[in-house]
Amino acid sequence: MQKFHHYIIPLTVAFMLASCGGSQKKETKRATGTNTIDHAVHAPGAVSLAPLQRFRIKDDGLNAVYQQYQQLTSALTNGKLAEAKIASNALEAGAAEVQGGKGLASAAARIVEAPSIEKQRAHFASLSDAMIGLVKKAGVEGELYMDYCPMALDNKGAYWLSTDKEIRNPYFGEEMLTCGEVKETIK
C-alpha cells in the first residue's frame, strides 16, 4: 500500500499540470504602438512595473476602479495578502462612486476583511463577476480578456479580467500560474 502512495501524488500533480497547460513562460515582450510592455513571471514578492492599461473602459469612474482591480489581481497572483487588502480597500472606495458599483464595493470589502490569501481568492471570484458585468455594460476601447480557471473554487471554476492574453492565474498564483484560458475578448 505504501508503494501505491508514492505513485499517486506524482500522477496527480502531472495530471493537474497537463490539464492546465503546465508550462510557464519566463518572459514575453509585446509591442503596442510605440510602447513595448514587458510581462515577466516574477519571483515571490516581486511587483510588476509594467503599464496596466492598453485599453480604456468608457466609464471614467469604472476605468479608475479597474486600475485597483489590476493591482488586486497582481497581489493575489503573487500571494501578497497585505497588498491585496490595500488594493481592495481602494477598489471599495472607488466602486462606491460608480453607478451600479454596490456589489463590487461589497465584494471588495469582503477581501479587505479576509484573514488569508485563500479566502481573499475565494471572494475575488464574486468581485470579478461584478467587475465583468460593469465593464461589459460600460464598454471598452481596445481589448480586455475574460479569463477562466476551471479548477478555481474547488473545481467550480471562476473568471477574472486581464489586459493580456497570457494567463497569470490569481486563484492559484505560483502553484498553478498558467492554469486557465481566455474565454472571451471584450471589445
Side-chain angles (χ1 to χ4, degrees):
M1 184 69 160
Q2 193 171 4
K3 286 184 178 181
F4 181 71
H5 289 297
H6 291 290
Y7 294 106
I8 292 295
I9 293 173
L11 287 174
T12 302
V13 170
F15 174 75
M16 288 173 45
L17 289 174
S19 68
C20 287
S23 64
Q24 293 184 6
K25 294 180 182 177
K26 292 297 181 192
E27 184 174 339
T28 61
K29 291 186 180 186
R30 174 175 295 166
T32 57
T34 59
N35 298 329
T36 299
I37 300 173
D38 292 327
H39 299 280
V41 175
H42 299 285
V47 177
S48 173
L49 299 177
L52 294 175
Q53 200 169 14
R54 293 189 310 266
F55 74 99
R56 183 180 140 341
I57 298 172
K58 292 180 181 177
D59 176 306
D60 289 337
L62 187 58
N63 194 55
V65 168
Y66 184 78
Q67 300 306 306
Q68 296 307 316
Y69 177 86
Q70 282 295 95
Q71 293 297 320
L72 172 59
T73 304
S74 178
L76 293 174
T77 301
N78 292 315
K80 298 294 186 179
L81 178 81
E83 289 176 21
K85 286 181 184 253
I86 292 167
S88 294
N89 197 29
L91 196 152
E92 179 185 7
E97 303 298 317
V98 172
Q99 184 176 358
K102 185 177 180 182
L104 189 62
S106 177
R110 288 191 297 277
I111 293 172
V112 170
E113 296 167 3
S116 69
I117 195 77
E118 292 79 17
K119 291 194 186 288
Q120 286 179 329
R121 287 173 170 159
H123 293 304
F124 182 68
S126 59
L127 184 136
S128 289
D129 289 345
M131 180 64 86
I132 290 166
L134 290 171
V135 166
K136 284 184 171 184
K137 185 177 177 182
V140 299
E141 295 171 1
E143 291 184 347
L144 188 60
Y145 303 101
M146 188 172 78
D147 297 337
Y148 178 74
C149 175
M151 297 179 73
L153 306 179
D154 294 322
N155 294 316
K156 293 176 188 166
Y159 292 91
W160 75 96
L161 291 172
S162 175
T163 58
D164 198 341
K165 281 186 179 181
E166 181 181 354
I167 298 295
R168 290 187 41 85
N169 189 324
Y171 294 105
F172 289 102
E174 291 293 324
E175 184 180 334
M176 292 192 313
L177 188 62
T178 60
C179 182
E181 64 182 311
V182 174
K183 280 290 195 181
E184 184 178 336
T185 300
I186 303 169
K187 296 180 181 187

